[in-house]
Amino acid sequence: MKRNLLSIMDLGGEEIHSLLGRAMELKAMQKEGIGHHPLAGKTLGMIFEKSSTRTRVSFEVGAFQLGGNALFLSPRDTQIGRGEPIADTARVLSRYLDGIMIRTYSQKILEEFAEYATVPVINGLSDLLHPCQVLTDLLTVKEKFGNLENRKIAWIGDGNNMANSWINAARRIGFELVLACPKGHKPDEKILAMALKEDKANISVVEDPAEAATGSDVINTDVWTSMGQEDEYEERKKVFAAYQVNNELLSHASGNAIVLHCLPAHRDEEITHEVIEGPNSAIFDQAENRLHLQKAVMELLMKNKQEHGSY
């Protein structure tokens, strides 16, 4: 039976730990020049409704490093852009491909595609969730600190798809998560409510960024204006002005805290140039880890059942 990765909630807690461990192994193998080709003869289709640098390059290079191939598909250049039904596209592409990654606006489109696809579907980003990025962030935290449990993670800024996926990660792993978001820009109410029902979840939402940052091991932020929100740019600059990640905010964190940003960053807007280039920044290690985390995801979902057991 095929599996999808549409949300971090598609993985169990132990499975997340296993996935992160495998990503670290794959990273070490790559550094040591050890070849590993479980996707030989396989092709990943990559559908991009939203533009991307890191998502496209990391999936494409990752598929190549695993011995497979990756195929870029733009709605502009396919029948998707001319209104072909999602279900038809999913069923046809499943006959050609061994896995499909989609970077899109609507989580509903992603879920409909996965319903009709007969090969694994990976969420490369939707307006609601960004699971591969947050799994990458967990990998970076584990690399820097050795563990995830008993860590305090601070999310500063917009309650967007990244914030929602951090909430799901906290549900699964059990670390402390404090999100500082302004009024009107909180995380998704349903996702937060589901998380707060669970005893394991140690999650709170505040408005004061210093409160979230105090004693934190990780300070994490994202742009104030995501793709598709460009007409809100000026208003958002005013609303989020107090949520900039700068040295003053960082001074509230623990001494060895790391700073994460999924990039692209608007320097001196949501995060200062000094913090990005400063000693606490793990941002470029984080960017590199997209490659290795997604290799672990593709290996998990696309490997041969005959060779590796059931999905």
Side-chain angles (χ1 to χ4, degrees), residues 42-280:
K42 294 182 178 295
T43 300
L44 174 76
M46 305 185 298
I47 300 174
F48 283 87
E49 282 194 326
K50 286 187 170 183
S51 60
S52 165
T53 298
R54 279 151 290 277
T55 298
R56 177 178 178 179
V57 174
S58 56
F59 268 111
E60 192 163 335
V61 172
F64 175 78
Q65 290 184 359
L66 294 178
N69 183 42
L71 187 64
F72 177 79
L73 297 166
S74 165
R76 185 182 59 235
D77 303 323
T78 64
Q79 297 298 337
I80 301 171
R82 297 180 62 199
E84 183 175 51
I86 297 297
D88 292 358
T89 303
R91 286 180 288 195
V92 170
L93 291 182
S94 294
R95 306 235 176 172
Y96 304 143
L97 303 168
D98 302 284
I100 300 168
M101 187 285 298
I102 307 179
R103 184 176 169 93
T104 184
Y105 291 90
S106 168
Q107 183 76 11
K108 286 185 177 179
I109 287 177
L110 190 67
E111 291 172 357
E112 182 181 355
F113 199 102
E115 179 183 349
Y116 288 96
T118 56
V119 297
V121 175
I122 301 169
N123 180 356
L125 175 144
S126 72
D127 284 350
L128 185 66
L129 297 171
H130 200 355
C132 288
Q133 180 62 62
V134 171
L135 288 167
T136 297
D137 300 350
L138 294 176
L139 171 61
T140 308
V141 174
K142 189 166 184 173
E143 270 189 341
K144 300 298 182 184
F145 293 105
N147 61 67
L148 299 170
E149 291 80 3
N150 303 318
R151 296 294 164 195
K152 179 180 178 181
I153 311 290
W155 173 263
I156 310 293
D158 195 10
N160 59 11
N161 50 6
M162 285 289 296
N164 294 335
S165 291
W166 269 107
I167 291 170
N168 285 339
R171 287 177 67 183
R172 284 294 191 242
I173 303 297
F175 53 80
E176 181 181 2
L177 175 65
V178 183
L179 304 105
C181 309
K183 288 180 181 177
H185 298 276
K186 308 290 187 187
D188 182 85
E189 289 184 3
K190 290 182 180 178
I191 290 174
L192 182 60
M194 289 291 291
L196 295 179
K197 288 180 181 177
E198 298 181 3
D199 294 337
K200 190 175 182 180
N202 184 2
I203 301 169
S204 55
V205 181
V206 301
E207 292 185 9
D208 181 2
E211 180 180 349
T214 298
S216 65
D217 299 295
V218 179
I219 291 183
N220 197 354
T221 191
D222 193 6
V223 295
W224 293 339
T225 305
S226 297
M227 282 182 284
Q229 299 172 332
E230 288 80 3
D231 58 344
E232 303 173 22
Y233 177 68
E234 293 301 328
E235 178 62 26
R236 282 177 168 266
K237 279 180 66 177
K238 298 174 186 174
V239 170
F240 287 100
Y243 292 79
Q244 184 186 71
V245 174
N246 51 36
N247 282 331
E248 195 283 324
L249 185 69
L250 186 57
S251 71
H252 296 280
S254 67
N256 63 342
I258 62 170
V259 176
L260 301 178
H261 189 306
C262 58
L263 301 176
H266 295 170
R267 293 183 183 227
D268 296 324
E269 194 169 281
E270 78 276 1
I271 187 169
T272 62
H273 175 84
E274 288 76 14
V275 170
I276 290 178
E277 300 296 342
N280 299 91

